[in-house]
Amino acid sequence: MSDPRSVSPSTHAPIAPAGLPAGATVCTACALLCEDGVVRPADHRSEHLCERGVESFRRHQAAATTTVAATIDGRPAAAAAAIAAAATRLAGARRVLVTGLEHLTIEGVTSACNFAERIGAAIAPAVDEGRHPGGSTVARCGEITAAWEELRDRADLVIFWGHDPADSHPRFVERFVAPVLSTARRTIAVGTSPLRFPPSPDHVHLPLDDDDDDVDLARLLLADLLERPSGAAPARLRDAARALRSAIDTARCVGIVTGRLDPLGLSSWGVIEVVRALSRRLPAFQVPLHAGSHAPNAAGAKAVLTWRYGAAASAARAGNGGSPAEAIDLVATGAVDAILTLGRIPHSLDEAIRQAIASGRAVKDGGLDPRRVIRMAPEAPDSPDGVWVRSLELFEETGTLLRADGRTIELAGDATRAHVAAVALLAELQEQLAATVPTTPQGAKA
Ligand code: SF4
């Protein structure tokens, strides 16, 4: 079997990102954005990556061996011809959606917003936590959070609350919990399953019968901390609450790692209240991993949309503030007749596009026109529909990413291929569109 860290050759020039050894860049295969697990495209090697990172890098290297720069309706084409075709097709559309923003840099997302406003399109992340309004927004009011490094450097008690980071952020435990503190660090996992990769041999698992039991457990723990009556509860949950309280009483700093999907927000609300109560006694914070947003720059995409449209996790009608919606819903309900996807998109959105086309609904009846499915992505799509133009993989881009805990990560990029960066491709598409159909400053077609 070949060494999984040694992959097929590519023709890419060396990348020289900020703060990393020459030729190395950040892994962008998940939202953890490991800058210590570097990839070296020029050397065809990756180092210290997890299985998901290695697989992602291998996929990128395999895709890089093809010489096709673009396709039009499944046929190979020059990139310039494909962009011209995309411009013509978008110019004839009335309801365009721009999406796929989580695999762009912040600069790329900003360019996408500018582009959407220019043509009067809707814009939305490909995956949207707005689908879980309680969990993502309402229940998070009052959160006390901290950077992942603070958890690593300060928390001598780490509680995994109903979520195993191995599912969403594979190296999180290795990078931010397993490192040794000056004092002993204890770890406890609360949940239906034990952690797949516990940080230490004396790690404790407090089993729950059901995911939602963590809501009752938070209630019991909160009542105990506030010395209030707790009401009825099963003995096993009372035992778990006692075990947590006992660990907390001997801790100097507590970090609670969360992240399970929580549509109603009750689990989030419970943890927030526990952390608030704890923080009156000792340093305590939550580290929300947002398990629904595995995409590398989901936080950056949300931040840009929030600043521009006031909608952090939902679609915004570019240029006029519009009502929240989700990319998948806009496609599935026939709200768009054309779509521009930028970067890699999740399988769920790809499937929604395929089904919208397969439904055969006429464009005049709200159907998605297969010719107007425009993709700018590092890899050719399985479907021959529409136009595809090859773009850079995110780790090859130049720009800024926003990690979920608010830390920015700079990518220095591959200067020799800047012409296929998302920002450059969007500028070229906008130029072609302007030549095809003059637009007003507000984006309405003239
Ligand atoms: S945890 Fe995520 S960012 Fe880190 S090496 Fe694995 S896939 Fe890459």
Side-chain angles (χ1 to χ4, degrees):
M1 199 171 132
S2 63
D3 177 359
R5 293 181 181 180
S6 177
V7 292
S8 55
S10 80
T11 55
H12 294 178
I15 297 173
L20 285 176
T25 191
V26 176
C27 177
T28 53
C30 85
L32 203 57
L33 299 173
C34 290
E35 68 273 69
D36 68 331
V38 294
V39 293
R40 298 171 184 268
D43 300 336
H44 327 303
R45 291 189 64 82
S46 58
E47 299 168 10
H48 313 305
L49 301 189
C50 68
E51 205 174 315
R52 185 188 300 178
V54 169
E55 179 51 36
S56 165
F57 189 55
R58 187 193 297 281
R59 184 175 163 192
H60 157 70
Q61 294 287 83
T65 58
T66 171
T67 54
V68 178
T71 58
I72 301 174
D73 301 325
R75 292 186 299 279
I83 289 175
T88 304
R89 294 178 185 195
L90 288 178
R94 305 305 302 174
R95 294 166 282 115
V96 182
L97 169 66
V98 177
T99 188
L101 313 172
E102 298 98 325
H103 283 256
L104 302 183
T105 59
I106 285 178
E107 293 80 359
V109 178
T110 302
S111 292
C113 290
N114 293 342
F115 180 81
E117 288 171 14
R118 181 71 177 151
I119 66 170
I123 184 164
V127 174
D128 188 347
E129 279 187 280
R131 186 180 281 273
H132 310 293
S136 71
T137 309
V138 179
R140 287 184 186 158
C141 295
E143 262 183 352
I144 300 172
T145 61
W148 299 340
E149 283 78 7
E150 187 157 357
L151 181 84
R152 181 194 63 195
D153 298 341
R154 292 190 69 197
D156 63 348
L157 174 60
V158 177
I159 303 171
F160 298 91
W161 196 273
H163 177 60
D164 185 350
D167 297 331
S168 57
H169 300 66
R171 292 187 60 221
F172 183 84
V173 168
E174 172 205 325
R175 291 186 59 201
F176 297 105
V177 184
V180 176
L181 265 185
S182 55
T183 56
R185 186 189 332 258
R186 289 165 301 155
T187 61
I188 300 174
V190 169
T192 53
S193 307
L195 293 190
R196 271 187 284 158
F197 305 108
S200 67
D202 50 358
H203 167 78
V204 173
H205 174 221
L206 298 176
L208 301 181
D209 290 346
D210 185 88
D211 280 343
D212 289 336
D213 280 351
D214 69 355
V215 177
D216 273 337
L217 182 58
R219 175 177 61 80
L220 291 174
L221 183 56
L222 183 63
D224 192 25
L225 290 167
L226 298 178
E227 298 177 355
R228 289 179 182 163
S230 58
R236 58 190 171 74
L237 288 183
R238 289 198 179 281
D239 290 345
R242 263 194 294 275
L244 288 172
R245 176 64 196 266
S246 164
I248 287 165
D249 283 345
T250 51
R252 291 185 185 172
C253 176
V254 179
I256 301 185
V257 179
T258 58
R260 83 170 174 89
L261 287 177
D262 176 29
L264 295 178
L266 291 177
S267 177
S268 302
W269 177 84
V271 173
I272 287 166
E273 291 302 311
V274 165
V275 171
R276 284 161 68 97
L278 280 176
S279 66
R280 294 183 201 124
R281 302 165 172 244
L282 77 173
F285 48 80
Q286 184 185 350
V287 175
L289 291 181
H290 305 311
S293 304
H294 296 182
N297 199 29
K302 277 186 206 169
V304 173
L305 290 177
T306 300
W307 278 106
R308 290 186 77 129
Y309 309 119
S314 54
R317 172 66 60 180
N320 66 10
S323 59
E326 174 150 353
I328 288 178
D329 294 338
L330 290 171
V331 172
T333 59
V336 297
D337 64 355
I339 184 167
L340 170 62
T341 69
L342 300 165
R344 294 188 185 278
I345 58 172
H347 175 73
S348 54
L349 179 57
D350 233 350
E351 183 58 22
I353 293 172
R354 193 190 65 73
Q355 285 185 8
I357 292 171
S359 73
R361 185 158 46 178
V363 173
K364 68 179 174 51
D365 296 326
L368 176 62
D369 185 340
R371 298 177 71 255
R372 291 182 179 140
V373 177
I374 315 296
R375 302 173 193 258
M376 292 181 174
E379 209 171 341
D382 294 335
S383 160
D385 296 313
V387 176
W388 165 70
V389 181
R390 179 190 293 283
S391 65
L392 291 180
E393 197 74 59
L394 180 56
F395 65 70
E396 300 171 300
E397 290 269 2
T398 302
T400 312
L401 306 178
L402 187 64
R403 214 172 64 173
D405 61 348
R407 188 180 146 194
T408 54
I409 308 264
E410 296 294 333
L411 299 174
D414 183 348
T416 64
R417 304 176 73 226
H419 60 290
V420 285
V423 172
L425 290 175
L426 280 167
E428 174 68 17
L429 182 59
Q430 188 159 312
E431 206 171 292
Q432 291 281 342
L433 259 171
T436 306
V437 179
T439 55
T440 68
Q442 288 73 38
K445 292 182 175 93

